[in-house]
Amino acid sequence: MAVRMVAASAGSLYFVSMRIPVLPRLFPLLAAALLTLPGCYSREDMKSDSGTASSTPAETTEKPAVEPADGTAVAPPPAAAVAGPLATVNVFLEVSGSMEGFMPKPGADAQNTRFQQHVAQFLSDLNRSPAAQRKTFYRIKEKPYRDSYQQLETTVREGIREAASSTSIPTILDTLVSHYYQPNAVSILISDFIYAPRNAGAMPYIKTDITDALNRAGRSDLAVSVYGYTSDFHGAFYPAMKTAAHKINGCCDTDIPYYFWVIGPADAVQRFDIALLERQPAQQAHFGVTYSQPAYSLLDKFQNKGAWYYGDQGASKRTAGASYHTVAMQEVSVSQPVEFVVGLNMKALPALYRDVKYLKPNLQLQAQDTDAKVLDVFAATDDTRNSSGPQSQYTHFVKVRVTRVGRGARPVQLVLRDQRPAWVSQWTTKNDSNINQVGAKTFALSSLLDGVAGLYTNEEEKPVFTLPLTLQLAK
């Protein structure tokens, strides 16, 4: 961060009020050794943190967040207490010099950036939201500094008064995971996530630095959701790679990306995403979150072809609202193919996994002794939503074609693979020293997310979901 270092409506989330102990406000400083990670560096040309009080409320109490003097730990909420609102949401806004272009100071010709409008609205929505019992706000300089909601909002609207000279992505991630991680709580880091290693020779270690930082505290259920946005940018841009210029003044002619990283236990991250971020269009990537299987059913009177019917036990009664998962085919051959549609209700999944562009290459049919294959994947339309048929219950549809199936019941599965979304590589550059020509990209973004994914490499690749079906010849 010079610190420098997944868009559609979601289903409703209901909460039950409960009493949960409050997290400690203060936490220990990081050991000096953490600051020697390859992501830590300084910029002499950027404003240094003088430690003097500023005229704005956000800078009047420049004290890093530390734990109570007696070292007493506040008991975390019980792991099972997840039915109500989240216990705590912590928001961390990076205020290094590289972020000043997102939050330019007001002037006669100044205009608010999209970053300012978006982040101010997000902070307001969060501050008013019943989805979390407690909200805490911090500026990230060389370490976290506690702010009120009003103070952090003032920084977003009126610009950074005292920018940090340097901040380290690995150090900050280690801080969040080590000291702000609690059951039923999440932390949100808002930053440009430009990771500037000390030299080009350190680039191959970016992935390792991120993995090590997130893994150091040993959080077994850690999850990370990444949301990417772009904004106009008015100020000095500090490239991670300084092959052409140490900084670019009067930048930029292109939009610059910035990110929300949501970090915490898997269940809490999923609930926060649904409650507060799914309504905001964004590029997305999710790591370590487990999602419930969506409701699904065969639809025998919707775009079907050939001679088949529901083979499920009791299907002849056609119970209202029932779901069916067995295709009984009376005839099937190359000349008499069977085509059927499976309806899926994917409202509770992130927008990334509801995007048809993601679904088409990644929603696959796994089967043996049959040539069944996916013909198409498409989203609900006004016609399906307003239909009186069962298709009105579903957000997405998968059309399958069969021309051959072996004798006896043949289990098949619709499997949604969890793959790196295409936008990550599209937003990545290996050299940002000429950002106006490069476009809206972030230095080494793929390596950063490789580092997050590295936490889960010891596990088998898990699909987002698996939906069993059965194919059989009619008896």
Side-chain angles (χ1 to χ4, degrees), residues 194-213:
I194 300 177
Y195 183 8
R198 290 177 176 176
N199 54 66
M203 286 181 57
Y205 306 108
I206 292 175
K207 171 185 174 181
T208 303
D209 292 343
I210 299 303
T211 302
D212 289 349

